[in-house]
Amino acid sequence: MKAVICTQYGTPEVLQIQEVSKPIPKDSQILVKIVATAANSGDARVRSLNVKGFMKFVMRLVLGISKPRKPILGTVFSGIVESKGNKVSKFKVGDKVFGMTGFKFGTYSEYIAVNQNSNVLEMPKNASYEEAVAIIFGGHTAIRFLEKARITEKSTLKILIIGATGSVGTAAIQVAKHHSANITAVCSSRGHKLVAELGVKNIVHYDKEDFTRRTEKFDIIFDAIGKYGKNQCKNLLNKNGVYVSTNLGYASENIQQLKLLKELFEKGEFTATIDRTFTMEEIVEAHRYVDTERKKGNVVLKICE
Ligand SMILES: NC(=O)c1ccc[n+]([C@@H]2O[C@H](COP(=O)([O-])OP(=O)(O)OC[C@H]3O[C@@H](n4cnc5c(N)ncnc54)[C@H](OP(=O)(O)O)[C@@H]3O)[C@@H](O)[C@H]2O)c1
């Protein structure tokens, strides 16, 4: 089968399509023929090792010293169950599934074998493969950070979402709406239309106004783009307000996040924001685009028709 191999850390050109062996599912695994995956900021970070100082050393230890130990990157997939191990009871051949692999990576590939009890579910009934895969990365990250900020514990919260047009930001808007939060979103003037389409009325343009000087206060500040420190935002926080940032901590994955995303998508409360779609052969171009840090929502990689 074909897969995208990360041959070393570096620019998008280090990603090369190669022939590798097709996995054989173990007893409790399903073999998924991948239809779509996504090129996310997380994949670009692993590929480029674009982190500062000590973190670079930590990442090399975790991911591999001179190149990724798991050379097939990608953490999200949607596709069809092609075969299964003899202990699999949750899925049948032909099921349309979507899921996330976290630090196991491996989705920039034509096939993946995953355990039936891992983070995999039947796709939302009303989703295309592209939509299903596009809601996962930003969605699970937004859920993780907003739960950390205790969004589930109170009602009528005022929340400020910074970086509202990225994969995480567009998802955060929709998760916050689900929790009936009163949302103010920070984006550039270019991103206004998208954020308004996601139903936000209070929109601040960071290219026109220094929002950190506002006198308004918020219960939660979520820096979804990880560029504004707590100190910079401290005047915007209520006395018991909580600040969370994608720059602080890792958004671990779990099946509840995937279940919630599926439920919200099926109820029409969550939509997939897809900026561009590339083919597997266009992987370098896809990563170049992700590297610009200007994408609106998500970049999908179509693996097969
Ligand atoms: N800790 C974790 O576990 C975790 C998980 C996921 C992501 N992350 C990190 O979270 C960050 C966001 O991820 P993402 O996937 O959402 O990124 P992304 O999709 O690449 O974000 C791009 C968006 O950010 C906007 N943007 C760029 N600079 C901005 C600024 N100064 N203020 C407001 N908006 C700005 C851009 O719009 P304009 O060009 O119009 O400004 C663009 O729409 C990344 O740094 C990623 O590495 C961390």
Side-chain angles (χ1 to χ4, degrees), residues 237-270:
L237 263 188
N238 265 335
K239 193 162 156 273
N240 296 318
V242 185
Y243 165 92
V244 284
S245 165
T246 52
N247 205 16
L248 298 172
Y250 171 69
S252 49
E253 309 81 14
N254 63 51
I255 197 76
Q256 275 70 36
Q257 296 158 350
L258 208 55
K259 280 183 182 159
L260 179 60
L261 291 170
K262 175 175 164 156
E263 180 195 321
L264 295 183
F265 193 92
E266 286 181 341
K267 286 201 289 198
E269 281 188 45
F270 201 105

Side-chain angles (χ1 to χ4, degrees), residues 124 134 149 160 170 254 258 281 297:
L160 180 71
T170 50
N254 63 51
L258 208 55
E281 285 67 28

Side-chain angles (χ1 to χ4, degrees), residues 40-42 45 137-138 140-142 144-145 162-170 186-192 194 206-207 211 223-228 245-252 275 289-298:
N40 292 314
S41 57
R45 181 154 291 186
F137 177 78
H140 95 80
T141 306
R144 174 74 188 99
F145 279 103
I162 307 170
T165 52
S167 174
V168 180
T170 50
V186 178
C187 63
S188 69
S189 326
R190 293 182 297 275
H192 184 103
L194 169 61
Y206 75 83
D207 49 347
F211 64 91
D223 180 5
I225 193 72
K227 289 191 179 179
Y228 302 82
S245 165
T246 52
N247 205 16
L248 298 172
Y250 171 69
S252 49
D275 183 335
Y289 187 50
V290 175
D291 277 358
T292 63
E293 297 183 12
R294 301 267 85 95
K295 73 178 164 67
K296 301 287 170 275
N298 300 278

Side-chain angles (χ1 to χ4, degrees), residues 80-148:
I80 306 156
V81 177
E82 187 174 278
S83 64
K84 57 181 193 138
N86 51 26
K87 289 193 181 143
V88 171
S89 53
K90 289 187 174 171
F91 299 96
K92 56 183 189 314
V93 170
D95 280 351
K96 293 177 168 187
V97 293
F98 77 139
M100 49 192 178
T101 57
F103 278 114
K104 290 189 172 152
F105 302 99
T107 69
Y108 285 6
S109 175
E110 289 183 312
Y111 292 90
I112 191 165
V114 294
N115 191 291
Q116 63 167 345
N117 295 318
S118 63
N119 294 319
V120 55
L121 287 178
E122 268 188 65
M123 265 172 40
K125 292 193 179 8
N126 50 342
S128 65
Y129 291 105
E130 290 89 336
E131 287 172 325
V133 89
I135 65 176
I136 304 174
F137 177 78
H140 95 80
T141 306
I143 293 169
R144 174 74 188 99
F145 279 103
L146 291 178
E147 284 180 352
K148 195 172 160 190

